[in-house]
Amino acid sequence: MNKLISLIQRAEYSHSLSKSEIVSLFKDNDCTEELFKAADRVRKKYVGDDVHLRGLIEFSNICKRNCMYCGLRRDNKNIKRYRIQPDEIIRLAEKAVGYGYKTIVMQSGEDDYYTVDKLRYIISNIKKMDVALTLSIGEKTFEEYKAYKEAGADRYLIRIETTDPVLYKKMDPGMSHENRKRCLRDLKTLGYEVGTGCLIGLPEQSFESLADDILFFKDIDADMIGVGPFIPNEDTPLKDETGGDFLTSLKVVAVTRLLMPNINIPATTAMETLNPRGRTITLQSGANVVMPNVTEGVYRKLYALYPGKICTGDTPANCKNCITGKIVTIGRAVSASKGFRVKA
Ligand code: SAH
Ligand code: SF4
């Protein structure tokens, strides 16, 4: 039997692969269907057919960082910046709960306007609505993470972006890889469900490096892994780069599912930017979460991490209906629970 097929079969039951085995799966283009089907079976066996929807509020596009790939980087003078006020964020969350979302995700650039006091106010008010709350607001101190947790935050997303320290240094000038890892450790210590992930297709990123990323996710026992292609942004220094491709990104999702059977894995918006059926295909290759946008009006367009972001002209109500339709069409169901990580 083909060596790669037996590798996939073994990983489906052992949930373990070596770095060179992962690389061989990335390099191959003949056994991809087997890989995606195996990941889909592992998803079904461990986390079931329910798809958890997380309502995403992009509340500020102001950022003090300068990540080379990102349209929100501070040196980008071409975008109009915005900040949504605390009471308005709470109102958006209320609406999202009205649409049936059981988790709210608050995401922004690293914007110091939102002090611990302001975030405490927002978090505690959203938590009165009986939902899970996820933050994705970047690198903070242990004390800050502790304050958000005490105010009621349940989960935190902070991608390592790449585990290659040399590449990280080039991609995230002025930032420290060690500090990013410290953030992940602190969040675990504080009892958050921790999400991380990487960009796929960064300049000079190798398959070996992507394999290291997946082994890192497993090593830190992340509860959620969000990955997606790097999509070059016109307003950044990486505008002329090729960016990530859909197939490699899908392989990263599938291998992650094989190795981490019971975690939550979103079918990210960036996947759908590269392929009109991107999220559906990803849901059928290991993913079990979707994060529809519940930001309203002009802000949706202005939160421009990368170009071609889907549904920026849509309304939150439409997005909910649209994604629900897609989920039902592939024989899956929208979850009625808050969707914490299932126990192994
Ligand atoms: N400021 C926070 C959260 C917002 S950025 C943080 O950086 O953690 C959220 C994610 O968007 C980043 O982790 C990055 O992986 C992704 N992103 C940024 N620019 C991108 C691009 N050009 N293509 C694809 N994803 C991008
Ligand atoms: Fe800021 Fe996050 Fe974009 Fe980096 S990736 S520039 S931290 S918004």
Side-chain angles (χ1 to χ4, degrees):
M1 196 196 305
N2 179 318
K3 219 175 116 212
L4 284 182
I5 304 267
S6 58
L7 198 70
I8 294 166
Q9 285 176 349
R10 179 159 54 74
E12 183 173 347
Y13 296 99
S14 67
H15 310 301
S16 118
L17 285 168
S18 69
K19 179 172 171 180
S20 62
E21 289 169 340
I22 298 174
V23 171
S24 64
L25 289 174
F26 288 158
K27 284 186 177 155
D28 164 77
N29 279 330
D30 295 328
C31 304
T32 52
E33 274 318 301
E34 284 78 2
L35 172 65
F36 300 147
K37 281 192 185 133
D40 197 44
R41 284 193 296 270
V42 171
R43 184 272 309 155
K44 190 179 173 75
K45 179 170 164 195
Y46 283 84
V47 297
D49 279 338
D50 277 5
V51 176
H52 303 292
L53 297 184
R54 324 291 201 195
L56 174 67
I57 304 174
E58 300 158 332
F59 66 94
S60 164
N61 70 352
I62 296 173
C63 191
K64 66 179 183 188
R65 307 281 184 190
N66 221 7
C67 307
M68 299 293 268
Y69 39 79
C70 179
L72 308 192
R73 67 200 301 273
R74 66 166 185 268
D75 283 357
N76 181 11
K77 307 286 182 246
N78 291 341
I79 59 166
K80 197 172 156 237
R81 304 280 174 170
Y82 72 89
R83 255 180 203 136
I84 303 182
Q85 290 305 308
D87 285 319
E88 181 71 7
I89 299 173
I90 296 166
R91 200 184 62 82
L92 287 175
E94 233 158 39
K95 283 186 150 185
V97 173
Y99 296 129
Y101 291 107
K102 306 281 183 243
T103 294
I104 302 298
V105 182
M106 288 174 54
Q107 192 181 79
S108 68
E110 285 201 26
D111 182 355
D112 291 336
Y113 172 79
Y114 300 90
T115 56
V116 166
D117 278 350
K118 285 197 179 78
L119 282 164
R120 241 195 232 121
Y121 172 77
I122 301 165
I123 294 165
S124 56
N125 274 288
I126 294 180
K127 283 301 289 181
K128 287 180 191 154
M129 302 173 201
D130 187 27
V131 282
L133 180 61
T134 307
L135 299 177
S136 176
I137 58 178
E139 295 181 20
K140 307 283 175 180
T141 63
F142 181 87
E143 286 67 33
E144 286 169 315
Y145 288 145
K146 185 160 181 275
Y148 313 149
K149 186 82 182 61
E150 284 168 359
D154 302 283
R155 308 185 187 126
Y156 206 101
L157 307 176
I158 181 162
R159 287 180 172 176
I160 191 72
E161 314 294 0
T162 171
T163 50
D164 175 343
V166 178
L167 182 58
Y168 187 86
K169 218 174 155 66
K170 287 187 196 158
M171 292 295 109
D172 299 277
M175 291 170 81
S176 142
H177 209 213
E178 280 313 310
N179 193 49
R180 200 118 182 129
K181 289 196 258 186
R182 190 271 308 159
C183 291
L184 287 164
R185 278 195 305 273
D186 283 356
L187 291 162
K188 270 272 178 196
T189 305
L190 286 162
Y192 282 90
E193 280 205 339
V194 176
T196 190
C198 62
L199 282 165
I200 296 155
L202 290 169
E204 297 167 45
Q205 186 185 40
S206 62
F207 284 149
E208 282 74 13
S209 166
L210 283 173
D212 280 336
D213 292 352
I214 298 177
L215 293 172
F216 171 80
F217 304 155
K218 192 167 166 75
D219 188 47
I220 67 163
D221 190 28
D223 303 294
M224 304 169 278
I225 293 298
V227 299
F230 152 57
I231 301 171
N233 187 322
E234 262 304 297
D235 294 333
T236 66
L238 301 185
K239 62 179 187 309
D240 296 323
E241 297 293 336
T242 315
D245 69 275
F246 186 77
L247 187 63
T248 305
S249 306
L250 202 59
K251 288 179 189 171
V252 175
V253 169
V255 173
T256 302
R257 173 59 75 197
L258 291 183
L259 297 197
M260 305 180 77
N262 68 341
I263 64 165
N264 285 320
I265 301 182
T268 55
T269 309
M271 293 297 276
E272 194 125 328
T273 301
L274 291 194
N275 181 317
R277 292 188 56 244
R279 287 179 300 179
T280 308
I281 296 168
T282 311
L283 284 174
Q284 294 176 304
S285 309
N288 70 322
V289 171
V290 180
M291 298 166 65
N293 199 334
V294 297
T295 318
E296 290 188 358
V298 287
Y299 305 134
R300 284 167 88 93
K301 277 197 182 61
L302 296 177
Y303 197 80
L305 302 167
Y306 52 81
K309 206 174 120 197
I310 55 161
C311 314
T312 51
D314 235 321
T315 62
N318 242 340
C319 279
K320 174 78 190 334
N321 291 337
C322 167
I323 195 68
T324 301
K326 289 182 183 190
I327 289 165
V328 172
T329 306
I330 57 168
R332 306 270 283 276
V334 171
S335 166
S337 81
K338 293 188 181 119
F340 283 92
R341 179 182 186 178
V342 299
K343 299 274 175 284

